[in-house]
Amino acid sequence: MVKDMNLFRWLGVNAFRTSHYPYAEEFMDLAAEYGIAVIDESPAVGLQGQNFVNETLQHHLEVMHELIQRDKNRANVIMWSLANEPASNDPRSKDYFESVAKWTRILDSTRPITFVTDQHPGDDYAAQYMDTIGVNYYSGWYTYPGYPDAIPYTLSTWLEEWNKSFGKPFFMSEYGAGAVSGMHMDPPTLYTEDYQSAVLTNTWTVFDKYRQSFLMGELLWNFQDFESYEKSDRVNGNKKGVMTRQRQPKAAARLLRQRYLSLAQGYDTHTCPNGLLDYSQKIVYVN
């Protein structure tokens, strides 16, 4: 955990989301010690239509109570995330998340609430109840795979639709591409380090376009490779990390470090409360 924190510092990271469950208290303690802000997320992952029933709702409310009771006095916790990628395009999710949102505000009225969605903004019934919205979108990977040059158009269109639909501050809660460490190809092809780098650089041009308006920040998916169940679009686990599972940097890690440290040069901590960064405009994240 200490090594990960020092790698966060090396990358220039100033916040992370606990995807997709509450992290160990020891890790939360280290985040506070290292001055890293946290979006604290409940373990409500991938809720589907059959989950939007009273039994699940009651358990969800209990979980939010336990999470907030544990972490409410941690000054570096800046938001509560209610869920990750639920079927919020299901009409049954409307009343469900309205209840969870109301309960969370009763438990803590001092922090914004959010959730992370991968639905189209025109079909999302739950986003209206959030203060901020986390949006997952993998342009160049799950959408138009193999075409990183399409990212500036597809991603810009997606972000503008979200802004037009809700008019709320939101952040890119997941984006990126997989890469097998040491694999290279020119021109870049899927799963090469070169392709991962191309996806990131094309994505960042879009972020920089909206960073001073409605886009709160960017959460790369993800910090390091991790194990997953076998399937046809996995190569010995999930390879979207900018680090390997052994915490060795891919080419994308050095690009990320260059970007984050460059952005950090524009911070003025003297104008922010308690010397923290200005979360409204320039925050940069990692999962």
Side-chain angles (χ1 to χ4, degrees), residues 124-192:
D124 198 301
Y125 290 92
Q128 60 185 306
Y129 302 115
M130 308 301 153
D131 299 312
T132 69
I133 305 169
V135 179
N136 292 353
Y137 189 64
Y138 289 87
S139 184
W141 189 250
Y142 296 127
T143 303
Y144 295 104
Y147 295 93
D149 291 343
I151 293 173
Y153 173 76
T154 58
L155 182 56
S156 293
T157 301
W158 187 256
L159 295 181
E160 288 178 4
E161 286 182 1
W162 270 100
N163 183 50
K164 182 179 179 180
S165 296
F166 293 96
K168 295 184 177 185
F170 64 92
F171 52 97
M172 202 73 195
S173 40
E174 290 182 26
Y175 71 96
V180 176
S181 179
M183 187 173 172
H184 294 274
M185 189 72 69
D186 186 24
T189 57
L190 293 171
Y191 279 106
T192 63

Side-chain angles (χ1 to χ4, degrees), residues 36-81:
I36 297 177
V38 177
I39 299 174
D40 218 352
E41 189 163 281
S42 86
V45 184
L47 297 178
Q48 299 300 306
Q50 68 270 21
N51 300 124
F52 300 130
V53 294
N54 189 59
E55 183 180 3
T56 309
L57 174 61
Q58 293 306 311
H59 182 55
H60 201 156
L61 301 183
E62 292 171 6
V63 166
M64 293 310 302
H65 180 265
E66 292 172 356
L67 175 62
I68 291 172
Q69 285 298 110
R70 192 193 78 165
D71 291 341
K72 65 181 180 180
N73 292 324
R74 298 181 185 276
N76 61 320
V77 172
I78 60 172
M79 277 188 274
W80 306 113
S81 176

Side-chain angles (χ1 to χ4, degrees), residues 5 10 17 20 32 48 57 63-64 88 94 105 111 129 139 158 166 177 220 228 237 241 247 249 253 264 277 283:
M5 286 294 170
W10 179 78
R17 173 168 68 107
H20 305 298
Q48 299 300 306
L57 174 61
V63 166
M64 293 310 302
S88 49
K94 181 178 182 294
R105 290 190 177 96
R111 291 177 175 88
Y129 302 115
S139 184
W158 187 256
F166 293 96
L220 173 76
S228 67
R247 274 51 174 184
L277 304 182
I283 193 164

Side-chain angles (χ1 to χ4, degrees), residues 104-123:
T104 304
R105 290 190 177 96
I106 290 172
L107 294 171
D108 180 12
S109 62
T110 68
R111 291 177 175 88
I113 62 169
T114 187
F115 88 139
V116 172
T117 178
D118 61 349
Q119 303 298 331
H120 187 278
D123 300 326

Side-chain angles (χ1 to χ4, degrees), residues 4-21:
D4 284 352
M5 286 294 170
N6 279 283
L7 286 172
F8 286 176
R9 180 171 287 176
W10 179 78
L11 286 167
V13 167
N14 63 16
F16 62 82
R17 173 168 68 107
T18 69
S19 43
H20 305 298
Y21 47 83

